[in-house]
Amino acid sequence: MRNFFNWIIQCPSKPTHDVRDLSFKKQIEIANKQGLTRASINTADKELKLISGYFQQAVKLDILPKNPCHQVSPGKEAVRTVRDPGYSNTELSQIFSLPLFQARTDAQKARYGEAPYWLPVILAYTGARAEEIAQLYVKDIKQDKDDPQLWFFHIQEVRDDQSVKTGESRKVPVCRSLIELGLLDYLHSLPVDGRLFPVLKANNKAKYHLAIARHLKEAFMTLNIEHFDTLKPLHAFRHRFITEARKVMREDIQNAITGHSNAGYTGRNYGIYSELHQAIEKMPVIPIPKWHP
């Protein structure tokens, strides 16, 4: 797939019908001889996404362990070579000292429910992507069959309104701190067949987190935090988690928890609470006020 990507970006960007019908090799030869403008990385990404859909279905059917199209683009990988470490301890303390983590206003509850509290808190303790958590249903937070005291977030694509960036489902342990903050109390206050954040509505791109992300950004921007020129406010929680995870767990375990590149096959082979749960409990405790409805 990487070769396929590299062939595309060497081909002419606007070939004639005759040239388009030729093999990659022939198209590239013509582009070299005539000095034609080449296809962009964005164009190659679009082609990969079309093919990726077939591989994603194969992953769902357990025909393949992972989607070979993911993380193929060298352009995307180059962007990630310099990684913002995410929020510092001081910045996290500032964020979770905001009034909305003490109590939500009636206007906030009417528009966003309890998402202004729980979405950032869960992101801080899981390193998940914002949409992965925003789209969850109550039934996606499950007890371990062998030990009912242990819980996990099941991030997966089983409903029409759910998607996972990598196309690979994973189980993310619920750490003790989330339970102590009242996550299970919140969970039990919701209809069992409903959504984790029932007030949030999907936009025209079927994304549930965007409206609440804008609301939280407005709150976070009142603080003196410098990350927002390189990171979205909610994504900075993920970067923070990964930065801290590198200090306390192996990279493959970290990837299995966060759903990072090349994590899919490895993550399937872990006993979810033998290594993943033990690892996530090593993460530092964050000073967050306990949830109050």
Side-chain angles (χ1 to χ4, degrees):
M1 296 312 302
R2 190 174 295 281
N3 287 339
F4 174 74
F5 183 94
N6 289 332
W7 290 331
I8 292 175
I9 60 177
Q10 293 180 71
C11 287
S13 63
K14 296 181 180 179
T16 63
H17 289 293
D18 291 341
V19 173
R20 188 180 295 119
D21 291 338
L22 299 175
S23 66
F24 279 125
K25 182 178 179 180
K26 293 290 186 182
Q27 290 189 50
I28 293 169
E29 287 177 356
I30 291 174
N32 289 338
K33 289 178 181 178
Q34 300 181 18
L36 302 177
T37 301
R38 312 301 177 115
S40 67
I41 287 178
N42 287 340
T43 296
D45 283 336
K46 290 177 182 178
E47 296 291 341
L48 279 177
K49 286 178 181 177
L50 291 174
I51 298 172
S52 178
Y54 294 100
F55 284 119
Q56 184 170 309
Q57 186 63 24
V59 171
K60 288 181 181 180
L61 297 173
D62 283 330
I63 297 171
L64 292 176
K66 63 174 292 184
N67 188 332
C69 290
H70 293 138
Q71 310 303 332
V72 163
S73 167
K76 289 183 178 179
E77 291 183 354
V79 170
R80 289 203 309 273
T81 54
V82 178
R83 176 179 288 278
D84 188 307
Y87 295 125
S88 66
N89 291 332
T90 299
E91 289 166 342
L92 276 188
S93 296
Q94 288 179 301
I95 288 171
F96 290 118
S97 295
L98 288 168
L100 69 88
F101 293 101
Q102 304 288 342
R104 270 68 60 208
T105 65
D106 290 340
Q108 284 176 324
K109 289 184 178 182
R111 190 167 184 181
Y112 307 109
E114 293 297 334
Y117 179 90
W118 281 115
L119 184 58
V121 170
I122 293 172
L123 296 180
Y125 272 117
T126 63
R129 301 174 181 89
E131 183 62 20
E132 291 176 338
I133 300 302
Q135 69 187 4
L136 289 177
Y137 280 72
V138 172
K139 288 185 176 179
D140 293 327
I141 296 89
K142 305 174 181 179
Q143 290 174 283
D144 180 55
K145 293 180 180 179
D146 296 325
D147 189 343
Q149 292 186 342
L150 302 177
W151 294 73
F152 61 87
F153 298 97
H154 199 176
I155 297 173
Q156 55 186 334
E157 296 180 346
V158 294
R159 302 175 182 87
D160 291 340
D161 58 353
Q162 291 181 316
S163 63
V164 181
K165 183 177 180 181
T166 62
E168 300 169 353
S169 66
R170 70 185 190 279
K171 297 176 180 179
V172 179
V174 174
C175 65
R176 187 181 303 109
S177 293
L178 283 175
I179 294 176
E180 291 174 350
L181 288 172
L183 178 62
L184 298 185
D185 296 330
Y186 171 63
L187 203 64
H188 295 149
S189 72
L190 299 170
V192 68
D193 292 323
R195 306 183 59 83
L196 182 61
F197 302 120
V199 181
L200 297 187
K201 306 298 180 185
N203 68 353
N204 57 5
K205 294 183 179 180
K207 299 296 183 183
Y208 284 93
H209 80 281
L210 293 180
I212 183 62
R214 287 193 294 270
H215 174 68
L216 291 170
K217 181 178 181 179
E218 291 177 3
F220 293 1
M221 289 292 283
T222 63
L223 305 172
N224 185 25
I225 294 178
E226 300 178 353
H227 295 279
F228 301 153
D229 56 343
T230 57
L231 283 177
K232 295 178 180 179
L234 293 184
H235 204 61
F237 287 113
R238 178 173 171 83
H239 281 234
R240 150 78 182 195
F241 183 94
I242 292 171
T243 298
E244 294 299 321
R246 287 173 176 164
K247 302 174 184 178
V248 298
M249 64 182 78
R250 298 198 314 265
E251 184 178 3
D252 56 339
I253 294 180
Q254 169 204 305
N255 287 344
I257 292 172
T258 62
H260 227 170
S261 59
N262 301 320
Y265 185 74
T266 304
R268 290 185 176 198
N269 291 321
Y270 283 117
I272 195 68
Y273 290 110
S274 60
E275 292 194 77
L276 301 190
H277 188 270
Q278 291 174 22
I280 209 166
E281 291 295 353
K282 295 177 183 177
M283 295 292 286
V285 175
I286 305 168
I288 303 174
K290 186 177 174 64
W291 173 69
H292 294 287

